[in-house]
Short mmCIF file of all heavy atoms in Angstrom, two decimals:
data_model
loop_
_atom_site.label_atom_id
_atom_site.label_comp_id
_atom_site.label_asym_id
_atom_site.label_seq_id
_atom_site.Cartn_x
_atom_site.Cartn_y
_atom_site.Cartn_z
N SER A 22 7.81 66.25 192.65
CA SER A 22 9.04 65.50 192.40
C SER A 22 8.83 64.55 191.25
O SER A 22 7.98 63.64 191.33
CB SER A 22 9.45 64.72 193.64
OG SER A 22 10.42 63.76 193.26
N LEU A 24 10.51 62.17 190.54
CA LEU A 24 10.93 60.80 190.89
C LEU A 24 9.78 59.80 190.71
O LEU A 24 10.01 58.64 190.39
CB LEU A 24 11.43 60.77 192.33
CG LEU A 24 12.08 59.49 192.82
CD1 LEU A 24 13.33 59.16 192.00
CD2 LEU A 24 12.46 59.60 194.30
N SER A 25 8.55 60.26 190.93
CA SER A 25 7.41 59.36 190.80
C SER A 25 6.72 59.48 189.44
O SER A 25 5.65 58.90 189.23
CB SER A 25 6.39 59.62 191.92
OG SER A 25 6.92 59.21 193.15
N HIS A 47 10.73 69.58 190.99
CA HIS A 47 11.75 69.00 191.88
C HIS A 47 12.43 67.82 191.19
O HIS A 47 11.77 66.86 190.79
CB HIS A 47 11.07 68.56 193.18
CG HIS A 47 12.01 68.15 194.26
ND1 HIS A 47 12.65 69.06 195.08
CD2 HIS A 47 12.43 66.93 194.66
CE1 HIS A 47 13.42 68.42 195.95
NE2 HIS A 47 13.30 67.12 195.72
N ASP A 49 15.17 64.94 191.61
CA ASP A 49 15.92 64.17 192.61
C ASP A 49 17.08 63.43 191.95
O ASP A 49 16.87 62.52 191.14
CB ASP A 49 14.99 63.16 193.29
CG ASP A 49 14.09 63.84 194.32
OD1 ASP A 49 14.62 64.59 195.15
OD2 ASP A 49 12.87 63.62 194.28
N MET A 51 20.26 61.05 192.45
CA MET A 51 20.77 60.04 193.40
C MET A 51 21.89 59.24 192.74
O MET A 51 21.84 58.95 191.55
CB MET A 51 19.64 59.09 193.81
CG MET A 51 18.42 59.81 194.36
SD MET A 51 17.20 58.63 194.94
CE MET A 51 15.86 59.73 195.40
N HIS A 80 17.72 68.64 193.60
CA HIS A 80 18.09 68.11 194.91
C HIS A 80 19.17 67.06 194.70
O HIS A 80 18.88 65.95 194.23
CB HIS A 80 16.81 67.53 195.55
CG HIS A 80 17.01 66.91 196.88
ND1 HIS A 80 16.06 66.11 197.49
CD2 HIS A 80 18.05 66.97 197.76
CE1 HIS A 80 16.51 65.72 198.66
NE2 HIS A 80 17.72 66.21 198.84
N MET A 82 21.46 64.38 195.91
CA MET A 82 21.73 63.39 196.96
C MET A 82 22.92 62.57 196.48
O MET A 82 22.81 61.38 196.17
CB MET A 82 20.48 62.51 197.18
CG MET A 82 19.36 63.28 197.87
SD MET A 82 17.75 62.49 197.65
CE MET A 82 17.29 63.17 196.07
N MET A 151 14.43 67.06 205.10
CA MET A 151 13.99 65.74 204.67
C MET A 151 13.10 65.15 205.76
O MET A 151 13.52 65.02 206.92
CB MET A 151 15.18 64.80 204.46
CG MET A 151 16.04 65.09 203.24
SD MET A 151 15.17 65.14 201.66
CE MET A 151 14.33 63.56 201.63
N VAL A 153 11.73 62.13 205.23
CA VAL A 153 11.96 60.69 205.10
C VAL A 153 13.46 60.54 204.91
O VAL A 153 14.16 61.52 204.63
CB VAL A 153 11.24 60.07 203.87
CG1 VAL A 153 9.73 60.22 203.96
CG2 VAL A 153 11.76 60.65 202.55
N ASN A 154 13.96 59.33 205.06
CA ASN A 154 15.36 59.10 204.71
C ASN A 154 15.46 59.08 203.20
O ASN A 154 14.72 58.36 202.52
CB ASN A 154 15.85 57.78 205.32
CG ASN A 154 15.99 57.89 206.82
OD1 ASN A 154 16.83 58.65 207.31
ND2 ASN A 154 15.15 57.19 207.56
N PRO A 155 16.38 59.91 202.64
CA PRO A 155 16.38 60.08 201.19
C PRO A 155 16.75 58.81 200.46
O PRO A 155 17.50 57.98 200.96
CB PRO A 155 17.43 61.18 200.97
CG PRO A 155 18.31 61.15 202.16
CD PRO A 155 17.43 60.69 203.30
N GLY A 156 16.19 58.66 199.27
CA GLY A 156 16.51 57.51 198.44
C GLY A 156 15.33 57.01 197.63
O GLY A 156 15.51 56.51 196.53
N PHE A 157 14.14 57.16 198.17
CA PHE A 157 12.98 56.59 197.50
C PHE A 157 11.74 57.47 197.70
O PHE A 157 11.60 58.11 198.74
CB PHE A 157 12.66 55.19 198.07
CG PHE A 157 13.83 54.25 197.94
CD1 PHE A 157 14.70 54.06 199.01
CD2 PHE A 157 14.09 53.60 196.75
CE1 PHE A 157 15.80 53.22 198.89
CE2 PHE A 157 15.19 52.75 196.62
CZ PHE A 157 16.05 52.57 197.69
N GLY A 158 10.88 57.44 196.69
CA GLY A 158 9.58 58.08 196.84
C GLY A 158 8.63 57.15 197.59
O GLY A 158 8.94 55.97 197.81
N GLY A 159 7.51 57.69 198.01
CA GLY A 159 6.45 56.87 198.57
C GLY A 159 6.64 56.40 199.99
O GLY A 159 5.95 55.49 200.44
N GLN A 160 7.57 57.02 200.74
CA GLN A 160 7.76 56.63 202.15
C GLN A 160 6.86 57.48 203.05
O GLN A 160 6.31 58.50 202.64
CB GLN A 160 9.22 56.84 202.56
CG GLN A 160 10.23 56.08 201.71
CD GLN A 160 11.66 56.36 202.18
OE1 GLN A 160 12.13 55.83 203.15
NE2 GLN A 160 12.34 57.25 201.45
N ASP A 189 10.45 67.75 202.26
CA ASP A 189 10.51 66.73 201.21
C ASP A 189 10.39 65.34 201.83
O ASP A 189 11.24 64.92 202.62
CB ASP A 189 11.87 66.89 200.50
CG ASP A 189 12.05 65.95 199.32
OD1 ASP A 189 11.11 65.23 198.97
OD2 ASP A 189 13.15 65.99 198.74
N GLY A 190 9.33 64.63 201.44
CA GLY A 190 9.17 63.24 201.86
C GLY A 190 7.87 62.99 202.58
O GLY A 190 7.63 63.53 203.66
N GLY A 191 7.01 62.22 201.96
CA GLY A 191 5.75 61.84 202.61
C GLY A 191 4.75 62.97 202.77
O GLY A 191 3.83 62.86 203.58
N VAL A 192 4.92 64.04 201.99
CA VAL A 192 3.97 65.16 202.09
C VAL A 192 2.77 64.85 201.20
O VAL A 192 2.93 64.49 200.03
CB VAL A 192 4.63 66.50 201.67
CG1 VAL A 192 3.61 67.63 201.70
CG2 VAL A 192 5.82 66.81 202.58
N VAL A 209 7.48 69.62 198.68
CA VAL A 209 7.78 68.65 197.63
C VAL A 209 6.75 67.53 197.75
O VAL A 209 6.45 67.07 198.86
CB VAL A 209 9.19 68.06 197.82
CG1 VAL A 209 9.48 66.98 196.76
CG2 VAL A 209 10.25 69.17 197.76
N ALA A 210 6.23 67.10 196.63
CA ALA A 210 5.32 65.95 196.65
C ALA A 210 5.55 65.14 195.38
O ALA A 210 5.41 65.67 194.27
CB ALA A 210 3.86 66.39 196.76
N GLY A 211 5.94 63.90 195.55
CA GLY A 211 6.18 63.01 194.42
C GLY A 211 5.00 62.10 194.20
O GLY A 211 4.13 62.36 193.37
N SER A 212 4.94 61.04 195.01
CA SER A 212 3.87 60.05 194.83
C SER A 212 2.49 60.67 195.04
O SER A 212 1.53 60.27 194.38
CB SER A 212 4.08 58.88 195.79
OG SER A 212 4.25 59.32 197.11
N ALA A 213 2.39 61.66 195.93
CA ALA A 213 1.07 62.24 196.22
C ALA A 213 0.49 62.99 195.03
O ALA A 213 -0.71 63.26 194.98
CB ALA A 213 1.16 63.18 197.43
C1 DX5 B 22 13.36 61.21 198.47
C2 DX5 B 22 13.29 62.37 197.50
C3 DX5 B 22 11.94 62.97 197.45
C4 DX5 B 22 10.87 62.03 197.00
C5 DX5 B 22 9.61 62.40 197.66
O1 DX5 B 22 14.66 60.81 198.60
O2 DX5 B 22 14.20 63.40 197.85
O3 DX5 B 22 11.93 64.15 196.68
O4 DX5 B 22 10.68 62.01 195.62
O5 DX5 B 22 8.66 61.46 197.31
P1 DX5 B 22 7.29 61.34 198.08
O6 DX5 B 22 6.61 62.68 197.96
O7 DX5 B 22 6.60 60.25 197.36
O8 DX5 B 22 7.63 61.00 199.52
#
Side-chain angles (χ1 to χ4, degrees):
S22 165
L24 188 61
S25 291
H47 189 82
D49 283 311
M51 305 185 184
H80 179 193
M82 289 161 275
M151 288 305 306
V153 298
N154 289 294
F157 303 96
Q160 302 179 78
D189 184 5
V192 177
V209 177
S212 52

